[in-house]
Amino acid sequence: MVRKMRKRIFLVGMLMTSFGITGCQQTADAVANEEEMIYLSVLAGQSTPDAGIEDMIDEKVAEILPNVRLEWECVDWGENFDAEVNARFAAGDIPDILIGKAQDARHYYATGNLAEIEPMLLEEIEDSAKNTVMVDGIAYGIPYNSWYQGVIYNKKIFEKYKLDVPKSRLELEQVVDTLEKNGVVPFAGHFQENWSVGNTTMQFMLNNIFAKNPLWGDAFRDGKESYSDNAVIQDCMECNQYILEHTWEDALSVDQAACDNRFDNGEAAMYLTGTWSLQFSNQNQQSEEYGIFPYPNLTGDSKLIRETNMTFMKSATTEYSDEVDKIFEILISDEELMGEILNYTQTFSVKKEYKKEFESCLQDEINIYEKSGQIIEATVGNTQLIWFFQNDVAAQELMWLQGKKELDEVLMYADLHRLESIIQ
Amino acid sequence: MNRRKSSGMERKMSRQYLVLVLPGFLIFTIGLIVPLFLSFRYSLTDWDGMSAEMKFVGLQNYIKLFGDKEFLESFWFTVKFTIGNTIIQNICALLFALALDSGIKAQKFYRAAFFIPCLISAVIVGFVWLKLYSNVLPEINTWLGTNINFLLFGDADTVLGGLLIANNWQWIGYWMLIYLAGLQSVPAELYEAARVDGAGPIKRFFNVTIPMLAPAITICVVGITTGSLKVYDLLISSTKGGPGRASTSMIYQTYTTAINGRQYGYGSAMTVTLVIMLLLVALIQVKGLKKKEVQA
């Protein structure tokens, strides 16, 4: 009996020990796995169409680098990104990866917080995009995609009224007249948000000011140029007024989403915007056919605007430089992921010989402008006048468009705040 | 012997009070008092918030502030928003509280329904009303064939009204509960006595209810006023200070100036001015309203 009892106690003891050891082992494995995991912080400054790409990147990273996790902080690029980056730089809490726009690489490199990008990672990037992130021959970011800005037009409406793409202001006025005579709203317009006025004003300024003098911003800050004494800038702002006069009546109260929707329903013939406005059309799989042309400038030599959009930057102090580079490599080399992102954001690749997963309805016309060199990079203007300044002046401009201010006051305001037009 | 014992007890109690107060005192000092003094210090400089250089400029930022058209515009917007909120929220909250206190059916349901919006973040409320005004409500026009302007956030003349609707929708339920608690604590004997004295419902309301609700009125008026003066989160998700600058509040202006505009010193001057304004408004209101409070 006693022997039986001893045997049972021994067996129970063995079982408990074995369970204990296994349990401990499992816990230890979990701890080891947890310790092996690398968490990379990402601060993403996103424009509206970019929201959602983080899931696509996460999925791919989990597949290829199972021990790496990305911890995303997504903020609105126009409203909060610069402020957030500055705060993080000031606190010394620099995210391992920053996602901004091409001009951000140039702005932030001077703080010493951005790491140089391995030349190997940029080998496949188009030179035109690469140039937007280069400072003294060194790249501080990886341009990923671009979008185009100009007038997107409804081809069916243009064909119906036998209209040609206008190349001069006079031709544009004739197109507008024909459309209005036929009861068609010439322009889709949304003037609820300051940013849209800031964007269109920069589009006009790029072709009228910065295309002629890429250092206009420096001259402006030196007091050699001004808004008040410049008839061309006045004309740029009046172009917004022209669009407002030839769009739907409630345009001052319409936001981008509503405007995209209306344009996609064929309620207007032309839309001064960027290719981001086609995201709605793409998601709804509408069959409207669109084309794009640059808004004619005063000299009739307007160019289509290309903005290098998402740009990946690396912290100069990251502990995981190799892992960050691996992620950059995935982003550039994985064309399936690239295709997914480009299709979702309705943007265009800046990778050389990228095999297209999707073809935008604007692609043919964009190719024509690209091949003939009729392209101007948005960074030309955006590095000369920072977005905060553009947006701030746009708020004043919008008040003029609402009839609450005189144009002279807007121009004067810009001149008074000229020192805020660049990061000192 | 007794005196020594009681003073020992007092010392023990004082130590206990100190221990209990200390965490709150530390958090309050580190989180509020120190930043406030630092803010005042920065407001006397031209600091951009980033660089190591910080030049002392004296009261220059404050002088500039009172001539700054943009700041004054944001000040007037904030004042109008505050006055609108204080009047509408107090009146509506009191009326709803009276209705619920009158013994109507489904009182609990209404109480919960009115209270729920204040549990939602103001950022969400702003977003919800933005979508309501720009997408949902205009659809009603399509169904009914009407032409009502629902795009309130899109016009400088209607944006204040649109924001007042959104803000009041969120907060009326909260203040209503405070009034309701006040109403329920009014002794029934007072109404009884007034009735015996021949007072009708209106007289009872103004001579019994209102004086007895004075402490609740003080809380609600001060709470709504100071809350409205600090409006920011509602704007960030709805109007972003626009259209143009039509709904830029003082806090919004301060944030964009200090953070986006990299004028930390100037932004700090705005903050200090706002804090002084808040303190003055709260002090005047509390002093004024306290005088009218009565005890049952």
Side-chain angles (χ1 to χ4, degrees), chain B residues 51-89:
Chain B
S51 59
E53 287 167 34
M54 203 186 289
K55 204 173 94 191
F56 180 77
V57 293
L59 294 174
Q60 206 175 296
N61 282 331
Y62 291 93
I63 295 163
K64 186 179 162 190
L65 195 66
F66 293 104
D68 184 341
K69 216 172 154 193
E70 278 66 46
F71 180 74
L72 294 176
E73 277 171 6
S74 65
F75 170 78
W76 281 119
F77 167 78
T78 314
V79 169
K80 282 188 274 182
F81 182 77
T82 305
I83 292 172
N85 268 329
T86 312
I87 294 170
I88 299 168
Q89 270 178 51

Side-chain angles (χ1 to χ4, degrees), chain A residues 337-392:
Chain A
L337 173 66
M338 190 174 270
E340 201 181 351
I341 292 175
L342 297 181
N343 189 25
Y344 177 74
T345 55
Q346 285 293 291
T347 50
F348 300 80
S349 174
V350 294
K351 187 181 170 185
K352 288 174 195 165
E353 292 165 19
Y354 164 69
K355 292 182 208 99
K356 292 170 185 69
E357 286 276 326
F358 89 104
E359 185 96 330
S360 164
C361 59
L362 306 176
Q363 193 70 58
D364 290 342
E365 292 189 0
I366 285 171
N367 288 345
I368 294 168
Y369 286 104
E370 285 276 3
K371 279 174 190 160
S372 61
Q374 285 178 274
I375 294 284
I376 183 169
E377 271 290 341
T379 42
V380 174
N382 289 336
T383 48
Q384 286 282 303
L385 302 177
I386 58 164
W387 176 245
F388 169 74
F389 176 78
Q390 290 178 45
N391 205 28
D392 196 28

Side-chain angles (χ1 to χ4, degrees), chain B residues 117-134:
Chain B
C118 84
L119 300 174
I120 307 168
S121 150
V123 175
I124 308 287
V125 170
F127 191 73
V128 165
W129 279 91
L130 174 68
K131 289 291 156 198
L132 269 174
Y133 288 141
S134 55

Side-chain angles (χ1 to χ4, degrees), chain A residues 79 82-83 86 252 402 404, chain B residues 69 154 157 243-244 259-260 262:
Chain A
E79 293 286 327
D82 185 54
N86 289 336
L252 281 168
Q402 289 167 347
K404 312 252 178 236
Chain B
K69 216 172 154 193
D157 295 328
I259 311 295
N260 296 109
R262 299 182 186 214

Side-chain angles (χ1 to χ4, degrees), chain A residues 101-137:
Chain A
K101 293 192 191 291
Q103 64 256 32
D104 295 326
R106 286 193 182 178
H107 286 151
Y108 299 138
Y109 98 93
T111 64
N113 290 309
L114 294 188
E116 293 176 17
I117 300 292
E118 291 290 327
M120 182 201 80
L121 290 166
L122 291 156
E123 275 171 6
E124 289 185 82
I125 305 294
E126 283 171 6
D127 291 340
S128 55
K130 217 189 301 183
N131 290 339
T132 62
V133 293
M134 302 287 274
V135 182
D136 300 329

Side-chain angles (χ1 to χ4, degrees), chain A residues 79-80 82-83 86 89-90 108 192 194 250 252-253 255 388 395-396 398-399 402 404-405 409 413 420 423, chain B residues 49-50 69-70 73 130 134 151 153-157 240 243-245 252 255-256 259-263:
Chain A
E79 293 286 327
N80 302 106
D82 185 54
N86 289 336
F89 283 176
Y108 299 138
Q192 190 190 328
N194 297 337
D250 60 351
L252 281 168
S253 307
D255 64 11
F388 169 74
Q396 302 290 324
L398 195 51
M399 286 199 280
Q402 289 167 347
K404 312 252 178 236
K405 266 197 173 165
E409 288 179 83
Y413 178 89
E420 292 158 31
I423 296 168
Chain B
M50 285 286 287
K69 216 172 154 193
E70 278 66 46
E73 277 171 6
L130 174 68
S134 55
L151 302 168
F153 286 164
D155 190 332
D157 295 328
K240 291 193 164 65
R245 295 179 41 80
Y252 198 98
Y255 180 81
T256 47
I259 311 295
N260 296 109
R262 299 182 186 214
Q263 298 178 71

Side-chain angles (χ1 to χ4, degrees), chain B residues 46-264:
Chain B
D46 69 347
W47 193 38
D48 64 1
M50 285 286 287
S51 59
E53 287 167 34
M54 203 186 289
K55 204 173 94 191
F56 180 77
V57 293
L59 294 174
Q60 206 175 296
N61 282 331
Y62 291 93
I63 295 163
K64 186 179 162 190
L65 195 66
F66 293 104
D68 184 341
K69 216 172 154 193
E70 278 66 46
F71 180 74
L72 294 176
E73 277 171 6
S74 65
F75 170 78
W76 281 119
F77 167 78
T78 314
V79 169
K80 282 188 274 182
F81 182 77
T82 305
I83 292 172
N85 268 329
T86 312
I87 294 170
I88 299 168
Q89 270 178 51
N90 272 300
I91 292 174
C92 291
L94 182 57
L95 290 177
F96 286 145
L98 284 168
L100 290 187
D101 195 45
S102 65
I104 57 164
K105 279 182 186 171
Q107 190 203 21
K108 281 182 184 170
F109 168 77
Y110 287 122
R111 204 166 54 189
F114 285 131
F115 186 71
I116 283 170
C118 84
L119 300 174
I120 307 168
S121 150
V123 175
I124 308 287
V125 170
F127 191 73
V128 165
W129 279 91
L130 174 68
K131 289 291 156 198
L132 269 174
Y133 288 141
S134 55
N135 298 90
V136 181
L137 295 174
E139 277 300 306
I140 293 174
N141 276 338
T142 318
W143 292 340
L144 303 176
T146 51
N147 197 22
I148 304 163
N149 178 25
F150 288 114
L151 302 168
L152 300 184
F153 286 164
D155 190 332
D157 295 328
T158 55
V159 68
L160 177 65
L163 287 165
L164 283 174
I165 292 172
N167 194 261
N168 285 308
W169 173 81
Q170 183 180 17
W171 290 110
I172 282 175
Y174 179 80
W175 302 113
M176 177 199 75
L177 280 192
I178 291 177
Y179 279 126
L180 194 60
L183 283 171
Q184 285 167 354
S185 65
V186 179
E189 301 85 57
L190 288 179
Y191 288 115
E192 205 54 50
R195 210 170 280 133
V196 170
D197 289 345
I202 294 173
K203 272 196 171 175
R204 284 204 301 275
F205 175 72
F206 284 105
N207 295 326
V208 179
T209 310
I210 292 287
M212 292 307 293
L213 275 184
I217 293 172
T218 307
I219 293 169
C220 291
V221 169
V222 175
I224 296 167
T225 310
T226 50
S228 303
L229 285 171
K230 295 186 291 183
V231 64
Y232 174 76
D233 35 11
L234 177 69
L235 306 177
I236 201 80
S237 59
S238 57
T239 64
K240 291 193 164 65
R245 295 179 41 80
S247 63
T248 302
S249 70
M250 282 172 78
I251 295 265
Y252 198 98
Q253 176 71 10
T254 303
Y255 180 81
T256 47
T257 305
I259 311 295
N260 296 109
R262 299 182 186 214
Q263 298 178 71
Y264 207 88

Side-chain angles (χ1 to χ4, degrees), chain B residues 269-284:
Chain B
M270 291 180 181
T271 308
V272 172
T273 309
L274 180 67
V275 169
I276 293 170
M277 214 174 99
L278 278 168
L279 284 173
L280 278 175
V281 169
L283 198 74
I284 293 165

